[in-house]
Amino acid sequence: MKITRIRIERREIELDPPFLAAWDPNPRRSFEATLVVVETDEGVTGIGSGDTMDGFERYEDLFVGYDPLEIERHAAVLETIAFHAGRYWPLEAALWDLAGKAEGKPVAQLLGGGKDRVPAYASTGDRRGPDERAESALALREEGFKALKIRIDRTHVDTGVAAVTAVREAVGNTMGIMVDLNQGWRMPGDLSPALDRDAVRAVAERLRDLDVVWFEEPLPREDVEGYAALRAEVGIRVAGGEMARTTAELEAFEAADALDVYQPDAVLSVGLLRAREIALRVLQKGRWFTPHTWTNGIGLLANLHVTAGVGGGPYIEFPYDPPAWTPERRDFMLAEPLRVDADGCLTVPVSPGLGFELPDAPL
Ligand SMILES: [Mg+2]
């Protein structure tokens, strides 16, 4: 079997009301999904998604004519391109979708077949006051979720901790609470300073006392030493690595034993194969593998298959913050949005490949 063509197709929906209105003076008014469609001479196709694939067209020739099942080779080429240009990991997701369809198996089975369902945590996005967030936590619990994640704005830390406190008071010990400070996303171009180690440590101590499951991206991602010190000294689980650009970045965290929870996103960070390799290593050391999944339903599925395949977890991120962020919006490109069951778990699809249907054939 040979790859004959790789097509990029963009789909978009309008968001009314917009999303992330509280964070952004220019909130998101539309949501775009890029589909990567790999075609072969045998008529089997694979579809991936999760990143923009901008500029990929000039690299298509590096894959056309090759056997799509040589995924080790393709992942190495994608790593090389990621050094020089963009991250085109949705293509690897499409290749796994294709491989699963060619072999009549779900991708999770090709990756180890460790689990058939994974508990999902509701990953909220919007900044809300304590009362409103507590109310949303109770609604999530009603839907079956056993855990939720709350983002804290580093410029409004007290409000953020107040929201976590209100949620803890509302749900007692019936739900796990994760907290994300998003400081791993700090860029050289960010002109305002990040919260420094001392300030972060004070937040971590307050969160530890609120029995938070993990504290995510507390510090800029280069500060591996700071991560290691924080988890060792405060005694709170620390999570990170969602947007690591190379496996070496994650290996640096491993070498310093700086994370309890490794989160490389299979369609944004290092691809499915590399994420799987990292997951196997860290799980063996008793650490957790719960990837970032904040893209769309196809990206979420790619990460679910990796997590389930290696028997990882104990959770999978489920981006969900109604009414602004719903499965219908997140998965608008799918015939059927992904939903959790009454126990708050995501079931791994049993159909071949990544296991989704589009409402219509790709163009
Ligand atoms: Mg995060």
Side-chain angles (χ1 to χ4, degrees), residues 311-330:
Y315 297 100
I316 184 88
E317 179 177 36
F318 189 80
Y320 184 51
D321 200 5
W325 203 238
T326 59
E328 288 75 17
R329 284 182 164 195
R330 183 194 67 207

Side-chain angles (χ1 to χ4, degrees), residues 149 180 182 185 216-217 242 263 292 317:
K149 188 161 82 189
D180 195 347
N182 288 110
W185 284 72
E216 183 167 327
E217 297 206 310
E242 63 185 44
Q263 305 182 295
H292 173 272
E317 179 177 36

Side-chain angles (χ1 to χ4, degrees), residues 87-303:
R87 312 191 207 193
Y88 299 133
W89 296 114
L91 170 57
E92 193 197 334
L95 292 167
W96 282 105
D97 184 48
L98 195 154
K101 286 172 181 161
E103 296 187 31
K105 290 180 179 170
V107 171
Q109 254 183 53
L110 303 181
L111 297 175
K115 283 182 177 171
D116 50 22
R117 64 206 279 263
V118 182
Y121 70 85
S123 185
T124 67
D126 248 334
R127 188 174 65 200
R128 296 194 194 172
D131 293 346
E132 220 188 328
R133 189 46 81 197
E135 208 175 291
S136 104
L138 292 171
L140 292 168
R141 186 176 69 178
E142 199 62 33
E143 291 181 53
F145 287 100
K146 305 284 194 290
L148 82 159
K149 188 161 82 189
I150 298 168
R151 288 167 66 176
I152 289 187
D153 180 342
R154 71 184 168 79
T155 63
H156 293 80
V157 166
D158 286 336
T159 315
V161 175
V164 178
T165 307
V167 169
R168 178 56 80 213
E169 280 168 6
V171 302
N173 61 5
T174 62
M175 289 185 94
I177 305 172
M178 294 78 160
V179 172
D180 195 347
L181 196 57
N182 288 110
Q183 290 220 107
W185 284 72
R186 302 292 302 166
M187 304 287 160
D190 288 333
L191 299 179
S192 60
L195 277 193
D196 65 21
R197 280 190 191 182
D198 288 345
V200 165
R201 187 186 165 127
V203 177
E205 283 168 353
R206 294 165 77 186
L207 296 176
R208 176 201 57 205
D209 296 344
L210 289 164
D211 201 18
V212 157
V213 179
W214 73 60
F215 188 18
E216 183 167 327
E217 297 206 310
L219 293 163
R221 67 195 175 292
E222 307 80 16
D223 189 7
V224 175
E225 218 179 88
Y227 275 76
L230 190 71
R231 66 177 287 270
E233 290 163 19
V234 177
I236 189 171
R237 280 192 205 91
V238 172
E242 63 185 44
M243 283 294 278
R245 187 142 195 141
T246 61
T247 53
E249 274 183 47
L250 295 156
E251 285 162 8
F253 280 104
E254 286 178 65
D257 200 14
L259 292 178
D260 297 272
V261 187
Y262 288 78
Q263 305 182 295
D265 188 312
V267 295
L268 292 177
S269 172
V270 292
L272 285 76
L273 205 54
R274 299 292 176 252
R276 178 177 186 271
E277 289 165 6
I278 290 153
L280 289 172
R281 279 203 309 273
V282 302
L283 288 167
Q284 208 159 35
K285 290 183 230 167
R287 303 289 176 248
W288 291 355
F289 175 76
T290 74
H292 173 272
T293 70
W294 198 293
T295 56
N296 61 41
I298 297 175
L300 172 54
L301 278 173
N303 281 292

Side-chain angles (χ1 to χ4, degrees), residues 1-7 37-47 66-69 94-105 352-353:
M1 182 162 52
K2 293 212 178 333
I3 298 171
T4 51
R5 199 175 154 209
I6 299 171
R7 287 187 300 102
V37 186
V38 179
E39 297 177 352
T40 62
D41 58 354
E42 294 186 11
V44 190
T45 60
I47 300 175
Y66 284 87
D67 182 341
L69 304 182
L95 292 167
W96 282 105
D97 184 48
L98 195 154
K101 286 172 181 161
E103 296 187 31
K105 290 180 179 170

